[in-house]
Amino acid sequence: MSDPRRAAFYARPVLEVAPDLLGCTLRHGRTGGRIVETEAYHEDEPACHAHIGLTPRTRTLIGPPGVAYVYRSYGIHALLNVVTDHDGVGAAVLIRALEPLEGIETMRSRRGGVRDRDLCSGPGKLTQALGLWLELNGSPLEGGPIAIEPPPPGASPPVIVTGGRIGITKAAELPWRYCDAGSTGVSRPWPAAMRAAR
DNA sequence: CATGGGATTGACT
DNA sequence: GTCAATCCCATGC
């Protein structure tokens, strides 16, 4: 099961889905990029929003898989997750970085003059570059405005390295961050295994 | 009803 | 390296 266009792709444990998304193409409108960094979150560990149970905020996260969970971070940024596992289990993959592929001019105008390599090199950056906002919370990833597709034919497969998750204070020791060591688009700081591989 | 804390980023020293 | 911006929502009184 490696085709994200099939619903069963998302109805799996989050630790399987998170690495499988590396190399796939994320699209919104005429903008899109190759997913090069993800993180897994699960209700059993305290860094996950769903750890506290069902609230208005966590309804999407705990609901059926295969939809987008978009929330506001630090009052400023929108962060994109894909919901995984079964209905009733709070688990999702945070999309942390892309390598820009399509609609680069549009991304540049939305991102205000940063270097091309920084257009999507962070979870808040990529939502801005793709024009993803909070209204897309709950959108299906099949037949909706957001699409995730398998790697294009001939694309080099991701070199997957893992590390601790970024920017959290709880359960940061879990190695649930997945990066493509072959990409320069990964957000800082790079995991130790990735620095060693370069 | 008041308060506090982020799954971040960009500007500045 | 430090730090402020900014707002939703969970929590506590």
Side-chain angles (χ1 to χ4, degrees):
Chain A
M1 175 47 61
S2 60
D3 190 336
R5 292 169 300 191
R6 309 241 176 241
F9 178 91
Y10 298 102
R12 296 183 293 153
V14 67
L15 293 185
E16 293 182 21
V17 179
D20 281 359
L21 284 171
L22 294 178
C24 293
T25 303
L26 171 66
R27 240 190 264 285
H28 179 239
R30 293 171 179 266
T31 53
R34 169 184 165 106
I35 298 172
V36 295
E37 181 181 358
T38 61
E39 279 180 1
Y41 287 85
H42 189 279
E43 63 182 19
D44 285 347
E45 45 88 14
C48 182
H49 293 163
H51 188 62
I52 59 174
L54 186 60
T55 68
R57 186 190 198 191
T58 61
R59 184 173 54 83
T60 306
L61 182 49
I62 295 175
V67 303
Y69 168 51
V70 187
Y71 73 97
R72 186 179 294 288
S73 171
Y74 290 91
I76 305 173
H77 309 286
L79 268 55
L80 170 69
N81 299 250
V82 303
V83 178
T84 67
D85 213 309
H86 305 294
D87 189 4
V89 177
V93 178
L94 171 67
I95 310 297
R96 282 194 61 89
L98 306 177
E99 233 175 65
L101 288 178
E102 298 173 22
I104 307 250
E105 284 301 332
T106 303
M107 294 188 192
R108 285 185 185 131
S109 63
R110 285 172 176 156
R111 292 275 297 129
V114 301
R115 293 172 303 174
D116 279 4
R117 64 191 302 174
D118 289 325
L119 286 175
C120 301
S121 62
K125 299 175 187 178
L126 71 90
T127 55
Q128 187 184 12
L130 296 198
L132 298 169
W133 299 109
L134 304 186
E135 309 86 69
L136 292 167
N137 185 43
S139 294
L141 300 173
E142 173 65 31
I146 305 172
I148 299 182
E149 299 161 10
S156 41
V159 179
I160 300 177
V161 301
T162 63
R165 294 174 296 181
I166 298 298
I168 57 174
T169 56
K170 292 167 284 193
E173 75 286 354
L174 294 174
W176 287 7
R177 182 189 186 201
Y178 301 86
C179 300
D180 178 359
S183 172
T184 55
V186 172
S187 70
R188 302 296 185 92
W190 290 351
M194 179 157 162
R195 294 194 299 269
R198 298 186 64 85

